[in-house]
Amino acid sequence: MFDLRKFGGLIYGADYNPEQWPREVWREDVRLMREAGVNLVSLGIFSWAQLEPRAGEYDFAWLDEVMDLLHAHGVNVNLATATASPPPWLSTRYPDSRPVTADGVRLEVGARQLYCPSHRPFRDHAARLVREIARRYGTHPALRLWHVNNEYGCHIDQCFCGLCAEAFREWLRARYGTLEALNSAWGTAFWSQRYGEWAEVQPPRRAPTFANPTQQLDWRRFSSDNLLDLYRSEVAVLREVTPDVPVTTNFLGFLPGVDAFRWAREEDVVSLDAYPDPGGPHPHLDAGMSFDLMRSLRGGQRWILMEQATGAVNWRERNVLKRPGLTRLLNHEALARGADGIMFFQWRASKAGAEKFHSGLVQHVGPERSRVWREVRDFGAELRGLAELGGARVPARVAVMFDWNNWWALELDSKPAALKLLPLVRKWYAALRQLGQNVDFVHPDADLGGYDVLVLPNQYLLAAGAAQSLRAYVRGGGTVVVGFFSGIVDEHEHVGLGGYPALLRDVLGLWVEEWAVLGHGETNGVCFAGTGERHDVENWCEVIHPQGAEVLATFERDFYRGGPAVTRHAFGAGRAYYVGTDLPGEGVRDVLRRALTAAGVPTTLVPSTLSVSVSAVEGGHLLHLLNVHPTQATVLGVPAGAVDALSGEDVGGAVTLEPYGVRLLRYAGEVDLPAVEVVEVSATPPGPGDPLR
Ligand code: GAL
């Protein structure tokens, strides 16, 4: 139902909050929007108090005027349901609509996202407002998309109040049917936790020590589902009143509280808010990982970058700005990874409120004398020339398995060591990108058959069904690469016995007797047979017994000396690699390169100052070459036969990229991965935010 053609080309725009500004400013806004090439704004996200100043009393006059004004100037609207921040009258009238923390603190009025998802009167008020908005604007010619609420779970992803406790019990009844089944799934024979009545079952509030892990895991599942149910309650109204208007809600990417794979099925188009830290070493990789997740959520469907900053945000301890050119570069990274739209938060930097020091397209200084405005306007013009990207596909032969259930389970307390999932995933993802791969993320229950190689940086929790489908995938000729401490527990967080990883022993051709968590500062070494390649490893070693697997690398020291660290096993028509330690990035990359090569997937070695992606467009392919470094670079090894998609000139061999520069090279037919090499980097001294530091 989402159709980019209705938006007038690739989407360009921002959150627009006209209620913060007098009318004269609105007129200037629409003039400037035209100047910048803006064709969509997200409107009304935080407007509830303006639209319904008192319960049941609506004031749409100002929004009517804004909608008409935007339409008259050719700007389309992504209209919000305006429920993201309930007005003070609602929170005051219904104190129990305010969420409660795990410590029992009920939160106070004066910020935003102050709602308990289970509170019926809150839901009813929200649904009434949504109905009013949908009825009033459902046929407005500017309306293109519904923006439901805003960033669910961004501040409050769990509410521990009595109403949520009741909803949790209902959710558990639906999941388990009987208390017996719940007791068994939660392993309540431990620590005298057996439940005799449903009323005894509670959320995992603050407790004397570790709460029951399955209770905690189910609570995370429930909390995501409960928010999803709230989203559904708004969407139901929209579908009823305006069945033809597509619906989205903006995700925050890898946000722990929202299982985006479950949510995305219920949207028409996926949208993302991406705020990588420009002061971090690799903002393009941090953002790129979320971009790839967005494309993967609905099977490769293109998505919208709904929010990002033009410069600095206001909410970090140090809000580093985006250096000249970095916004454009990140926009190209999004386009290369399947974005149909490039939008920002927010159109005009606020004069008051908590976000007054957050950058906007129009900065406090005004447009004329602003470097940021010039960049915004220039990119708007550039985007009009990139229309063909709107139909592009991002073909990936390799996917990283990702599952919120595993993320929650791995990061529960009481583990051999406190392991964080995202840094591991990021390390493996970065290695794949460095090998020149387009990367998808795939849910364990999805159809795995479309990929040559599947990568599991860590899959601590692996349900029986998912293990079965992995087994079928490898047997049928697929390649998997599995990281340490995977396949340990099932969906209830119960350990598989008889040698880890119980459900994958046959696929991997080995069993793990025990693991060894290394102390702080303690290292071991891993050496690959044949090549002699070696790496220092930290954090984790395992005692592995091959049972059919071939040993590729062994540990160097201590009592694991000579024992397998990395293995490979032929299983059916496929192969399964196992990495029984926390290899550094280069080590991961080398294992992945072996696996890809053996699976017939070509690789290259992309220098850390470049980002390389391939997209499939009508009649051929585009090679997206991005210089992610603020110094000029010349890239060698670019396959011949290309035409520069921006300038139209023939290219091949060597290509020069300006600091943060971008080249899009069009090839008729297939494109080989370039044997990329950066031979020259200008002497400009790297400044703050240099990605190499
Ligand atoms: C987003 C949010 C926006 C704004 C922005 C600031 O999380 O959706 O409303 O607060 O952050 O970076």
Side-chain angles (χ1 to χ4, degrees):
M1 159 153 55
F2 176 79
D3 182 355
L4 183 64
R5 285 170 305 185
K6 295 190 179 152
F7 289 75
L10 289 170
I11 293 166
Y12 195 48
D15 277 25
Y16 183 39
N17 298 307
E19 65 270 40
Q20 295 176 18
W21 300 95
R23 276 195 171 67
E24 328 59 279
V25 176
W26 301 355
R27 312 232 151 245
E28 196 200 358
D29 285 338
V30 284
R31 181 181 63 74
L32 290 171
M33 284 177 191
R34 278 185 91 105
E35 186 180 319
V38 164
N39 57 15
L40 187 72
V41 292
S42 304
L43 186 63
I45 295 176
F46 298 105
S47 302
W48 193 342
Q50 267 80 13
L51 293 174
E52 192 182 0
R54 273 165 297 278
E57 249 178 61
Y58 296 101
D59 173 10
F60 287 111
W62 67 273
L63 189 57
D64 292 350
E65 198 178 326
V66 175
M67 291 286 289
D68 292 347
L69 188 66
L70 289 164
H71 179 60
H73 289 79
V75 179
N76 297 314
V77 175
N78 168 34
L79 189 58
T81 55
T83 54
S85 191
W89 61 255
L90 194 149
S91 317
T92 309
R93 180 189 283 194
Y94 305 105
D96 55 348
S97 70
R98 298 191 254 122
V100 172
T101 66
D103 296 289
V105 176
R106 200 175 278 283
L107 300 176
E108 288 300 332
V109 180
R112 66 174 176 185
Q113 209 168 79
L114 187 72
Y115 54 78
C116 157
S118 312
H119 190 263
R120 283 293 142 191
F122 164 72
R123 284 192 178 208
D124 294 345
H125 277 285
R128 225 170 294 143
L129 176 67
V130 176
R131 188 171 294 278
E132 290 290 330
I133 293 175
R135 281 199 185 133
R136 190 167 192 100
Y137 300 108
T139 55
H140 194 284
L143 179 71
R144 290 291 177 281
L145 186 61
W146 288 122
H147 183 290
V148 181
N149 198 285
N150 190 64
E151 286 186 349
Y152 284 97
C154 142
H155 305 301
I156 301 296
D157 61 2
Q158 300 158 68
C159 168
F160 293 80
C161 77
L163 298 170
C164 286
E166 192 43 53
F168 183 40
R169 286 188 282 270
E170 264 173 47
W171 183 94
L172 291 166
R173 271 184 217 265
R175 183 174 176 85
Y176 294 112
T178 65
L179 261 188
E180 273 334 295
L182 178 140
N183 277 312
S184 146
W186 285 19
T188 55
F190 179 80
W191 276 358
S192 176
Q193 290 174 348
R194 190 172 187 291
Y195 293 101
E197 302 285 341
W198 281 101
E200 296 160 6
V201 180
Q202 296 292 338
R205 299 192 177 104
R206 177 70 81 92
T209 183
F210 308 117
N212 179 300
T214 319
Q215 175 194 16
Q216 294 190 60
L217 181 56
D218 274 343
W219 173 252
R220 297 309 302 248
R221 292 171 171 141
F222 156 77
S223 296
S224 172
D225 280 3
N226 201 29
L227 278 177
L228 177 58
D229 197 54
L230 178 65
Y231 163 80
R232 277 189 199 126
S233 67
E234 293 199 13
V235 173
V237 176
L238 297 172
R239 300 265 190 238
E240 181 198 324
V241 184
T242 60
D244 299 328
V245 181
V247 166
T248 192
T249 186
N250 46 344
F251 292 139
L252 266 168
F254 292 90
L255 181 75
V258 167
D259 177 348
F261 276 108
R262 282 172 77 81
W263 283 60
R265 296 183 217 148
E266 306 193 26
E267 295 182 289
D268 296 307
V269 60
V270 167
S271 58
L272 171 75
D273 298 351
Y275 291 97
D277 187 354
H282 300 294
H284 76 287
L285 266 183
D286 299 334
M289 200 162 114
S290 294
F291 297 165
D292 284 331
L293 174 67
M294 293 302 112
R295 190 188 61 252
S296 306
L297 290 177
R298 285 178 57 86
Q301 183 186 325
R302 299 178 65 81
W303 53 279
I304 300 172
L305 177 53
M306 190 62 90
E307 286 183 26
Q308 59 174 326
T310 57
V313 298
N314 63 293
W315 40 263
R316 291 196 171 94
E317 201 171 301
R318 268 170 193 267
N319 297 301
V320 173
L321 57 57
K322 288 180 173 163
R323 296 156 62 83
L326 182 57
T327 300
R328 173 175 182 254
L329 177 102
L330 292 172
N331 288 344
H332 270 283
E333 187 75 53
L335 292 169
R337 323 221 63 76
D340 262 351
I342 300 291
M343 300 186 57
F344 296 88
F345 175 87
Q346 60 176 332
W347 167 253
R348 202 175 261 281
S350 298
K351 194 164 151 25
E355 293 179 332
K356 57 186 170 299
F357 295 121
H358 192 292
S359 55
L361 285 77
V362 181
Q363 299 274 66
H364 289 153
V365 69
E368 291 82 14
R369 293 177 295 158
S370 156
R371 185 259 312 169
V372 166
W373 176 254
R374 284 193 293 279
E375 288 193 30
V376 161
R377 200 191 43 200
D378 292 352
F379 191 74
E382 180 178 346
L383 203 57
R384 282 196 288 278
L386 297 172
E388 71 172 324
L389 289 178
R393 270 188 322 106
V394 184
R397 296 181 66 177
V398 53
V400 175
M401 187 167 279
F402 195 87
D403 177 12
W404 261 257
N405 287 277
N406 178 49
W407 189 6
W408 292 322
L410 182 71
E411 297 191 7
L412 291 176
D413 40 35
S414 305
K415 291 290 184 306
L419 293 169
K420 295 278 176 210
L421 183 63
L422 287 191
L424 280 173
V425 170
R426 193 186 172 290
K427 178 158 66 174
W428 287 50
Y429 169 84
L432 288 169
R433 293 288 296 132
Q434 207 174 28
L435 292 167
Q437 303 303 306
N438 283 347
V439 180
D440 279 354
F441 286 90
V442 68
H443 188 272
D445 296 338
D447 175 10
L448 309 174
Y451 299 103
D452 294 285
V453 177
L454 276 181
V455 159
L456 288 64
N458 171 277
Q459 194 69 41
Y460 161 74
L461 180 153
L462 189 67
Q468 195 51 41
S469 103
L470 266 179
R471 181 173 295 108
Y473 166 79
V474 180
R475 187 172 276 135
T479 295
V480 290
V481 188
V482 179
F484 67 94
F485 201 45
S486 286
I488 304 299
V489 296
D490 66 9
E491 65 271 37
H492 301 310
E493 242 243 336
H494 293 197
V495 175
L497 306 179
Y500 315 110
L503 296 177
L504 292 180
R505 287 192 300 252
D506 55 343
V507 181
L508 298 173
L510 53 80
W511 56 279
V512 177
E513 180 185 344
E514 58 181 335
W515 49 70
V517 173
L518 303 189
H520 288 298
E522 195 186 340
T523 60
N524 205 309
V526 155
C527 184
F528 283 79
T531 64
E533 169 207 336
R534 69 163 306 283
H535 301 280
D536 289 328
V537 294
E538 299 175 320
N539 304 322
W540 195 275
C541 295
E542 288 183 353
V543 179
I544 299 172
H545 300 274
Q547 227 169 17
E550 175 192 350
V551 178
L552 299 180
T554 48
F555 289 110
E556 287 178 332
R557 292 194 293 280
D558 213 335
F559 76 93
Y560 344 90
R561 183 159 178 242
V566 181
T567 62
R568 175 175 56 199
H569 183 228
F571 182 77
R575 286 185 198 83
Y577 293 74
Y578 184 64
V579 181
T581 182
D582 191 6
L583 282 178
E586 308 79 58
V588 170
R589 186 189 63 207
D590 291 342
V591 173
L592 292 176
R593 196 215 299 256
R594 282 170 195 248
L596 287 160
T597 306
V601 180
T603 64
T604 182
L605 197 57
V606 179
S608 62
T609 58
L610 275 191
S611 161
V612 174
S613 318
V614 174
S615 59
V617 288
E618 212 180 311
H621 285 83
L622 283 179
L623 182 63
H624 303 246
L625 283 182
L626 276 57
N627 179 8
V628 300
H629 198 251
T631 57
Q632 194 185 64
T634 298
V635 181
L636 287 186
V638 175
V643 175
D644 187 305
L646 299 174
S647 70
E649 70 195 51
D650 290 340
V651 219
V655 165
T656 300
L657 289 156
E658 295 307 310
Y660 289 140
V662 173
R663 304 288 294 263
L664 296 188
L665 308 185
R666 184 183 297 107
Y667 292 83
E670 293 296 319
V671 52
D672 292 332
L673 273 181
V676 202
E677 194 188 333
V678 174
V679 289
E680 203 181 282
V681 176
S682 71
T684 320
D690 168 17
L692 285 188
R693 291 197 329 185

